[in-house]
Amino acid sequence: MKITDLQNAVQGIDFDEERQEQMISELRAMKRPRRYTRTLRIAAAFAVGILTVGVLSVPVRAVVISLVQERMEEQPKEEVTKLAEEIQSQFVEADSKTREYTEGEKERRGKLYAQYLEGLFPTGELVRVNSEEEAAEHEFCFLSTTSVFYLPANRELTDEEILEQIDFEKKRDYALQEQRAEEIAAQKEEEREQIKEVTAAGGISEERAIEIATGYLGQIFGLDGSGMEMNHYFVDEDDHLATFPNTYGVNWSDLGNYRYYYFFIDAADGTLRSMSYSHDMKERLAMRPSVAEAADQTAAVSKQAEQFLTEKLGIQETYEEIRSYYLVNTESEKVSGSVDVLFVMADGTARQISCSWDGEMFDYSVTTQAHYEEGLQSTAYWMGKEYERDHGHEAEYRIESVLH
């Protein structure tokens, strides 16, 4: 799938302004392969092979614990087919729910998901209904037509109910995977041949790439991958992920806490080409400054980004230029939910760090200033197009940059 196809798919979905910003930024970066299942319902027909974003993303090719895999394979084929068709019929952006999870529910979900991977399954099944009238008859259920989880209004979810939701989500992901089983198998065979060519030319093996990525997971986040699902694959120069050709993609998914960790390792020399951390965007968007304050605030963000390079990645270099970038919606006079800091070296290579406005890093990549600025212009253009579609008139997204 080409990036233009994805952008067109996004145009067909009713995103609010903040969701548009998040989604189109990800499409421009082209860093999220093979992990769409339900974020782009309209693009569900090619869900296995494209990218995703944010808290509802799930890699359908993830390596699952054998007990979970056995449970998935024991499902009647008719039910698997029905779930896949159900997903494709839902012309909504993503799953939603009738209320936010409580802090207690969030904490228990994280623990229960880890236990689910070890074989703690629900005793029952999530109730699925097809109308709001039916949904009103249940405290906890899933409305299939609109992809809404109805949660108890006056109490927390029980452990059993949380497990039922986890189990249902896992079964849907498996249904999509099975629907594209032949395509996935062919893709894996093609990857194996590509990896043989890479290693024959002196490149690193996929196993070595996983070791390197695991090292960075610990080095940056203090994690060892336990309690998470791991996914890995090869990205060749003809892949839709044109930004990082000839790399190994390795990612870990903490689905219980909706946290995802992505690494792209150069297949030739094992260097880190890109790293991303994806989690709930709401806090990031809530802390953005006013337009008047934004330029001054980039100085502190830039210092934190440089600390990340030196302390987390062990990179100490001399830079020709350090510059921060962000977008401003000229209609609403709101700045984007993140700021990018570009560290440009004498040879034209640049290290990009994307941060929230409080300095939390969530994306790193090796690029060039020209390539980065071209991508940012594309983001601004598509954001303007989405705004025009939703509001009936144009709104320019201007690019602001600050030299440090």
Side-chain angles (χ1 to χ4, degrees):
M1 171 174 278
K2 304 301 182 185
I3 190 66
T4 51
D5 297 328
L6 290 170
Q7 289 168 328
N8 290 336
V10 173
Q11 282 189 293
I13 304 173
D14 186 19
F15 293 125
D16 59 26
E17 180 183 352
E18 293 176 352
R19 191 66 169 171
Q20 292 166 17
E21 174 186 327
Q22 182 184 6
M23 178 66 75
I24 296 175
S25 178
E26 298 289 355
L27 295 181
R28 181 261 300 176
M30 293 186 288
K31 297 176 185 175
R32 306 290 185 271
R34 300 174 172 88
R35 60 184 182 98
Y36 253 124
T37 54
R38 51 188 175 274
T39 303
L40 282 182
R41 302 281 190 192
I42 284 182
F46 14 80
V48 172
I50 58 179
L51 52 149
T52 191
V53 63
V55 298
L56 292 172
S57 56
V58 180
V60 295
R61 295 176 56 203
V63 177
V64 296
I65 303 300
S66 59
L67 288 173
V68 177
Q69 184 67 22
E70 290 175 9
R71 181 175 177 83
M72 297 300 105
E73 292 172 354
E74 290 172 354
Q75 296 180 90
K77 291 188 179 297
E78 296 78 8
E79 181 63 18
V80 173
T81 300
K82 181 179 179 181
L83 278 173
E85 293 174 347
E86 183 178 284
I87 296 169
Q88 293 190 29
S89 68
Q90 294 167 342
F91 287 86
V92 295
E93 174 193 342
D95 287 338
S96 59
K97 49 190 181 294
T98 53
R99 64 165 172 80
E100 294 298 317
Y101 295 125
T102 67
E103 289 303 314
E105 288 170 334
K106 291 178 183 178
E107 182 178 356
R108 284 189 293 122
R109 178 185 165 92
K111 293 177 180 178
L112 286 167
Y113 192 87
Q115 292 176 297
Y116 177 87
L117 294 180
E118 296 173 355
L120 178 63
F121 302 132
T123 58
E125 296 278 344
L126 175 66
V127 174
R128 290 152 57 191
V129 298
N130 296 316
S131 69
E132 293 183 0
E133 290 75 19
E134 288 182 271
E137 300 175 3
H138 302 273
E139 275 194 299
F140 176 58
C141 65
F142 179 75
L143 179 53
S144 300
T145 53
T146 55
S147 197
V148 177
F149 287 99
Y150 279 70
L151 307 184
N154 301 312
R155 64 171 177 84
E156 288 195 344
L157 291 165
T158 65
D159 287 359
E160 165 67 18
E161 289 168 334
I162 292 174
L163 285 170
E164 287 179 4
Q165 183 174 352
I166 290 171
D167 193 51
F168 172 66
E169 291 170 347
K170 179 63 66 180
K171 288 176 178 177
R172 287 196 310 182
D173 297 337
Y174 176 79
L176 279 177
Q177 180 178 338
E178 284 299 290
Q179 188 181 54
R180 305 300 296 276
E182 291 185 6
E183 180 181 338
I184 293 172
Q187 185 180 60
K188 289 301 294 183
E189 180 58 33
E190 181 182 355
E191 284 184 11
R192 282 190 284 268
E193 294 302 316
Q194 292 166 339
I195 291 171
K196 286 180 182 178
E197 294 178 7
V198 167
T199 54
I204 66 171
S205 67
E206 189 169 27
E207 291 74 17
R208 178 55 183 152
I210 293 170
E211 290 177 4
I212 294 170
T214 302
Y216 279 116
L217 183 68
Q219 184 175 319
I220 297 171
F221 299 102
L223 301 171
D224 62 6
S226 59
M228 295 191 285
E229 298 181 7
M230 195 257 289
N231 184 20
H232 52 87
Y233 45 88
F234 180 74
V235 183
D236 72 5
E237 59 187 8
D238 296 323
D239 198 289
H240 70 266
L241 189 72
T243 307
F244 302 111
N246 299 319
T247 61
Y248 292 103
V250 185
N251 65 60
W252 284 267
S253 302
D254 178 359
L255 300 179
N257 294 299
Y258 299 119
R259 294 171 184 162
Y260 311 91
Y261 307 85
Y262 302 86
F263 301 86
F264 290 92
I265 308 299
D266 194 298
D269 59 16
T271 57
L272 179 65
R273 297 272 296 280
S274 174
M275 187 283 304
S276 299
Y277 167 52
S278 178
H279 63 307
D280 196 336
M281 284 284 290
K282 291 181 180 178
E283 293 182 5
R284 188 189 306 169
L285 292 167
M287 63 182 63
R288 55 186 173 180
S290 66
V291 173
E293 299 169 330
D296 290 339
Q297 195 164 324
T298 60
V301 175
S302 175
K303 288 181 180 179
Q304 289 172 281
E306 191 164 10
Q307 286 178 348
F308 171 80
L309 286 176
T310 57
E311 296 175 6
K312 294 294 187 180
L313 296 184
I315 297 173
Q316 298 192 23
E317 297 168 322
T318 300
Y319 304 106
E320 293 286 298
E321 180 178 299
I322 301 176
R323 185 178 292 272
S324 294
Y325 299 81
Y326 57 94
L327 297 176
V328 176
N329 181 317
T330 57
E331 175 79 13
S332 63
E333 283 300 303
K334 289 183 179 181
V335 302
S336 51
S338 61
V339 54
D340 295 338
V341 185
L342 211 64
F343 297 85
V344 185
M345 291 169 281
D347 65 356
T349 304
R351 301 190 185 279
Q352 175 195 335
I353 306 288
S354 298
C355 307
S356 58
W357 283 95
D358 68 347
E360 180 189 19
M361 185 287 313
F362 60 88
D363 192 287
Y364 161 80
S365 63
V366 179
T367 182
T368 66
Q369 188 169 22
H371 188 273
Y372 167 77
E373 290 181 346
E374 180 183 359
L376 189 60
Q377 290 171 356
S378 177
T379 298
Y381 171 80
W382 285 106
M383 291 293 292
K385 284 291 188 182
E386 288 298 311
Y387 191 94
E388 180 181 4
R389 190 205 67 177
D390 292 340
H391 297 84
H393 60 277
E394 293 184 12
E396 179 185 358
Y397 280 79
R398 71 173 183 268
I399 298 172
E400 296 284 359
S401 68
V402 180
L403 180 64
H404 300 293

